[in-house]
Amino acid sequence: MRIHVVRPGDTLWGISQNYGADINQIVLVNQMEDPNRLVVGEALVIPEPGREYVVQSGDTLWNIAQRYGVPVQDLAEVNQISDPSLIFIGEMLILPYFPHSVQSGESLWGISQRYGVTMDRIIQVNSITNPSLLYVGQVLYIPVQSKPVKEFNAYITNMREEGRREVLALGRNFTYVSPFTYAIREDGSITDMQDGPVINAAIANDAGPLMVLTNFQGRSFDSDLAATVLRNPDLQENVISGVLEVMQSKGYEGLNIDFEYVYPEDRENYNDFLRRVVARLRPAGYSVSTALAPKIKADQVGLLYEAHDYPAHGRIVDFVVLMTYEWGWAGGRPWAIAPINKVREVLDYAVKVIPRDKILMGIPLYGRDWKIPWQEGTFARTVSPKEAVRLAANYGVNIQYDETYQSPYFNYVDENGQEHEVWFEDARSMQAKYDTIKDYRLRGGSYWVLGSPFPQNWPTLRNNFYIKK
């Protein structure tokens, strides 16, 4: 897979010729609504011929395997497809082997070094009896290079049919799927959700559903609600009992606790609550994780940060989700949602006090459209990456890219003369995030939030990692 950034004068036909790729495959994987309308600065995913294939209408996993002469079970395994019927139009599949035509002077050892696979694997796949005997023009099938194995979580807020379908289509990309949200009540009970269809869709893809528990009330996180429960051990036991009942009845595999805006004086109360949760859930076979605000130092001031004790969470729970997004928040000034330099500042602190293999780095799947000049008290509109590109196309503007933040952006003027500034994510910005996960040797990543169309992300993810199930 390649990432191509559209340049002035580019056409889709010219791009396809440059990469030797099929136009229809490019259109499908990028979900292009109008292939004749490209935006300068737009990042397109280009499937690599002979190595990757984008599912088309009428395809089955069996006929794709037949077309490329590979065992269907190998095709399913390398793409982590647990149910062969769950393949979807526009989904990019990695072929388990790709062809290599032997050139003059090549050896099996040299070919293995070139592609980063062992000689033994090449010998096995090609049933070679004499490794020293190769001839020019001989076609060898090279197994795909192994990728780092990482965990990925995805939060989802839509429990309706659209949410179920999205989890069915994307679930093979996730270790966990986390329906948002169950919430505590002042009497120690918890709210309910109609989450069964989403849970079943996750399980169909071997993605473990995580129950999300928050102090969410109305339309926001409630500090007083958290204080009521965190200051009363009896209420906490009621909460934990309710959580266990839900998890057992609905098939959840773990609990993700996302208490936000907790009063600083409840910091140790929160830690004690986590200890109680772990003491009851872990013996029952459930994992416990937390979501943490993006801190850059232990004594960071602010209601969002002070009660989140990084070292304690690192010791107590199985893993943490660092919410490394929302620098460009809806009520603030225009900015990248997750500027990579700021994300790395958080990680620089986090890895000093939390084991690296317990950290999932938060990753946004959305962008924002601000009216400018920005005014205090105004709110940006949330847009999907796909919608952002459509906006740039509709208003005839080029997409820029900030190298410091590793994020695309653009400005446009609407029909009323109002100027806008848009920051979003694309394949380049996601590649920067995946490189960061590798650089910091983290457990993996966590997406906020499904429901925002971003077709370029999923092939980019698969190009970087094998997802732990």
Side-chain angles (χ1 to χ4, degrees), residues 104-121:
S104 177
E106 283 190 321
S107 67
L108 200 59
W109 182 86
I111 294 169
S112 73
Q113 292 298 297
R114 174 180 174 182
Y115 292 113
V117 297
T118 65
M119 282 181 56
D120 287 344
R121 280 289 290 139

Side-chain angles (χ1 to χ4, degrees), residues 106-364:
E106 283 190 321
S107 67
L108 200 59
W109 182 86
I111 294 169
S112 73
Q113 292 298 297
R114 174 180 174 182
Y115 292 113
V117 297
T118 65
M119 282 181 56
D120 287 344
R121 280 289 290 139
I122 298 175
I123 290 169
Q124 178 188 20
V125 167
N126 293 276
S127 302
I128 296 173
T129 55
N130 186 351
S132 63
L133 185 61
L134 297 180
Y135 56 88
V136 174
Q138 180 180 1
V139 176
L140 298 177
Y141 288 92
I142 310 298
V144 293
Q145 190 174 8
S146 60
K147 298 179 176 70
V149 179
K150 299 293 181 182
E151 293 188 1
F152 278 83
N153 172 60
Y155 290 100
I156 182 169
T157 57
N158 187 343
M159 302 301 126
R160 299 184 297 275
E161 174 61 16
E162 302 96 319
R164 184 192 74 85
R165 288 201 303 264
E166 186 171 22
V167 172
L168 270 182
L170 298 177
R172 70 186 183 93
N173 299 301
F174 311 134
T175 311
Y176 315 107
V177 172
S178 299
F180 189 92
T181 176
Y182 287 84
I184 57 174
R185 294 193 180 106
E186 290 183 350
D187 62 358
S189 63
I190 58 176
T191 59
D192 194 18
M193 271 199 303
Q194 301 304 313
D195 46 6
V198 167
I199 291 173
N200 292 337
I203 292 172
N205 278 287
D206 287 339
L210 297 184
M211 178 182 176
V212 181
L213 184 69
T214 67
N215 58 318
F216 207 75
Q217 185 167 253
R219 298 179 62 86
S220 62
F221 290 90
D222 191 315
S223 305
D224 292 328
L225 177 59
T228 297
V229 171
L230 293 178
R231 296 173 188 179
N232 188 321
D234 291 336
L235 290 180
Q236 292 173 40
E237 291 300 329
N238 290 343
V239 167
I240 299 168
S241 295
V243 164
L244 277 167
E245 183 178 343
V246 170
M247 295 175 75
Q248 290 164 355
S249 65
K250 294 193 174 184
Y252 278 108
E253 294 185 6
L255 177 68
N256 179 250
I257 302 172
D258 179 13
F259 282 11
E260 300 186 30
Y261 297 98
V262 176
Y263 290 125
E265 55 267 35
D266 286 318
R267 176 186 176 108
E268 193 53 43
N269 291 333
Y270 189 15
N271 293 341
D272 285 340
F273 173 62
L274 294 177
R275 293 184 183 101
R276 289 189 178 94
V277 171
V278 168
R280 290 188 61 183
L281 265 62
R282 195 172 283 161
Y286 297 112
S287 68
V288 179
S289 57
T290 56
L292 293 174
K295 297 174 66 166
I296 60 172
K297 56 183 179 178
D299 57 353
Q300 189 162 335
V301 176
L303 185 60
L304 182 63
Y305 309 103
E306 293 179 55
H308 283 187
D309 185 339
Y310 273 36
H313 286 239
R315 289 190 300 269
I316 297 167
V317 301
D318 296 292
F319 61 90
V320 302
V321 172
L322 298 185
M323 294 183 284
T324 41
Y325 35 73
E326 286 294 279
W327 276 268
W329 69 288
R333 296 179 182 276
W335 197 4
I337 309 300
I340 203 67
N341 58 328
K342 294 299 181 182
V343 171
R344 284 177 171 257
E345 281 184 23
V346 174
L347 293 175
D348 286 341
Y349 166 61
V351 297
K352 293 174 184 174
V353 294
I354 301 173
R356 294 171 189 265
D357 62 0
K358 283 191 173 188
I359 297 173
L360 296 185
M361 187 185 88
I363 303 170

